[in-house]
Amino acid sequence: MSAIGWRLHGNGKTVAPGDVVDPDERLTWPRTIGIGMQHVVAMFGATFLVPLLTGFSPATTLFFSAIGTVGFLLITGNRLPSYLGSSFAFIAPIGAATASQGQSVAVGGILVTGLVLAAVGLLVHVAGARWIDIVMPPIVTGTIVALIGLNLAPAAWGNFQQAPVTAVVTLAAIILVSVLFKGIIGRLSILVGVIVGYVVAVLQGEVSFDAVRQADWIGLPEFVTPTFDVAVLGLFVPVVLVLIAENVGHVKSVAAMTGKNLDDLTGRALLADGVATTLAGVGGGSGTTTYAENIGVMAATRVYSTAAYWVAAATALVLSLSPKFGALIATIPAGVLGGAATMLYGMIGILGARIWVQNKVDFSNPVNLTTAAVPLVIGIANFTWAVGDLTFEGIALGTAAALVIYHLMRTIARWRGTTQEPASPASAPGGDEPIVHDTIEDAR
């Protein structure tokens, strides 16, 4: 399919065992609408948590999330199902930029990030995605994702200690729901945990509804005009690398689940997310990315129809046009955010490790070991380097270190023939490790 339109899957009411509803198919519209709204629920908790943690408007973020999803579907020819929600990779740079220069400058950083990602998407569409594997092999992408999550740990603690009881209840609820319930409820453990924590906060008098009472039922969200400061742009550059990894991973995940080769859509996916993030940067929304939460819904329902995502985008757009709804979301207190952030930031860190595990990265290789070790400390300790008016912090420096260390060490190791030397006696291969290639080029 290269245009908007879907054929009915079977009778439109059931999905036979082993079957999937392809992106160019749909179920009956009542069922499609129900699944689309389920996608809104799936993305809801994470998408709203980002603006709450960064001080952005939840309604504005939801508005651009909906617009970005529509753009993504159009740019990818209605062939790649995805919801574009708030990216957690933006939390640290937004927080730092807002604290030093104000929200408007942070919005400008998001806009520039979107433009760079869109440019990368165009390049990939023309030149192919193979070079991404060479420049950013799993050891590099995993390290970057991990250090971003771990760099945010102090922010989680800052919210946590403001209301420890509420935070503990929220975190405990998230943990328990994930193992107590099957299906969609278990997958929505963060959202359920936030609701439980919110109820506890209300009972303790930590929530004020004054702003909700004063807000209108219908109205446009609050927009913020971007401004630009070169001094903070270095904070946002590493986010591009994370967004590339997330989008490429999304394409591969959908391809694996549907049994279709979607590699030709990689460039379009990056371009589409770049455009969506750029639009968010024009008006004050958080930067976007393809959402793993919605992949979970697709895996559970076996429905990959893009029609459901059009419904999700429309639903999100309607909700964003209610200031009262946005004001209600903004009442979520610090304790709830601290509990949820403790889980989410840790999950981001572990997702980086998951990339290493899934790709069987060999840490007996000193190149891989050093590429992970040094940047992680830089990111966790939040190393800072000031050059004139420019200030580079842990995420930017850690990302740069991962890229430089990997490619420099790999080049020298090949020249000197030391690639197979173990990093230390403790990491020496035991003889049963799989042979792992750093890049596609090595495999050949």
Side-chain angles (χ1 to χ4, degrees):
M1 297 287 292
S2 59
I4 298 176
W6 306 270
R7 65 178 187 274
L8 199 64
H9 177 86
N11 61 9
K13 299 179 180 179
T14 58
V15 182
D19 281 358
V20 299
V21 179
D22 288 328
D24 60 348
E25 297 179 323
R26 65 170 176 84
L27 298 177
T28 59
W29 280 114
R31 288 173 174 78
T32 298
I33 291 173
I35 292 172
M37 290 184 174
Q38 187 171 256
H39 278 298
V40 174
V41 174
M43 68 81 187
F44 190 85
T47 290
F48 270 103
L49 196 57
V50 174
L52 288 173
L53 291 171
T54 57
F56 276 35
S57 164
T60 307
T61 293
L62 189 62
F63 176 84
F64 285 108
S65 173
I67 298 298
T69 298
V70 170
F72 186 94
L73 294 170
L74 290 173
I75 292 174
T76 58
N78 211 36
R79 294 170 55 200
L80 187 61
S82 178
Y83 189 90
L84 295 190
S86 305
S87 171
F88 283 90
F90 282 97
I91 293 177
I94 288 176
T98 300
S100 61
Q101 302 289 342
Q103 189 178 86
S104 179
V105 172
V107 172
I110 294 172
L111 191 156
V112 172
T113 302
L115 290 174
V116 173
L117 182 61
V120 172
L122 287 174
L123 178 61
V124 171
H125 185 66
V126 174
R130 178 176 174 270
W131 68 272
I132 293 179
D133 295 315
I134 297 174
V135 176
M136 294 176 57
I139 180 59
V140 173
T141 55
T143 299
I144 293 172
V145 172
L147 69 85
I148 285 179
L150 299 176
N151 177 268
L152 292 169
W157 171 238
N159 282 318
F160 200 103
Q161 60 186 337
Q162 291 186 45
V165 173
T166 301
V168 169
V169 171
T170 302
L171 180 57
I174 293 172
I175 293 172
L176 292 175
V177 168
S178 66
V179 291
L180 283 174
F181 298 96
K182 298 179 180 179
I184 189 63
I185 295 180
R187 294 180 183 275
L188 297 177
S189 60
I190 293 176
L191 177 61
V192 176
V194 166
I195 293 173
V196 172
Y198 187 81
V199 171
V200 171
V202 170
L203 294 176
Q204 295 186 101
E206 298 173 1
V207 180
S208 171
F209 294 101
D210 292 342
V212 179
R213 297 189 189 96
Q214 297 172 8
D216 296 328
W217 280 102
I218 300 175
L220 288 173
E222 177 185 352
F223 297 111
V224 177
T225 303
T227 56
F228 305 94
D229 189 332
V230 178
V232 302
L233 292 183
L235 299 170
F236 290 87
V237 172
V239 177
V240 175
L241 301 177
V242 178
L243 297 180
I244 291 173
E246 289 177 338
N247 277 274
V248 171
H250 182 83
V251 173
K252 292 184 181 297
S253 296
V254 174
M257 291 187 292
T258 60
K260 297 181 180 294
N261 187 340
L262 301 174
D263 287 349
D264 63 313
L265 292 178
T266 302
R268 288 193 182 196
L270 293 169
L271 171 61
D273 192 15
V275 170
T277 297
T278 301
L279 290 175
V282 169
S286 296
T288 62
T289 188
T290 49
Y291 251 33
E293 288 85 347
N294 297 95
I295 286 183
V297 173
M298 290 191 288
T301 61
R302 291 176 293 153
V303 176
Y304 302 92
S305 172
T306 53
Y309 284 96
W310 283 94
V311 173
T315 303
L317 184 61
V318 170
L319 290 175
S320 73
L321 296 177
S322 173
K324 191 173 288 293
F325 177 75
L328 179 63
I329 298 301
T331 62
I332 297 177
V336 175
L337 297 179
T342 298
M343 171 65 79
L344 285 168
Y345 296 165
M347 287 174 61
I348 296 172
I350 297 304
L351 282 175
R354 183 186 179 191
I355 293 174
W356 298 333
V357 173
Q358 288 181 328
N359 291 276
K360 300 178 180 177
V361 174
D362 180 11
F363 281 103
S364 69
N365 185 331
V367 175
N368 292 335
L369 184 65
T370 310
T371 298
V374 175
L376 282 179
V377 172
I378 291 174
I380 294 170
N382 198 36
F383 282 31
T384 302
W385 180 36
V387 183
D389 293 333
L390 295 175
T391 300
F392 301 97
E393 297 190 351
I395 292 179
L397 293 176
T399 298
L403 289 166
V404 172
I405 289 173
Y406 172 77
H407 290 288
L408 179 61
M409 288 189 68
R410 184 166 172 268
T411 300
I412 295 175
R414 284 189 164 188
W415 168 54
R416 295 290 298 159
T418 58
T419 304
Q420 301 304 318
E421 294 292 327
S424 70
S427 62
D432 57 349
E433 285 78 4
I435 297 175
V436 180
H437 301 288
D438 291 331
T439 65
I440 292 177
E441 182 182 8
D442 290 342
R444 294 176 178 176

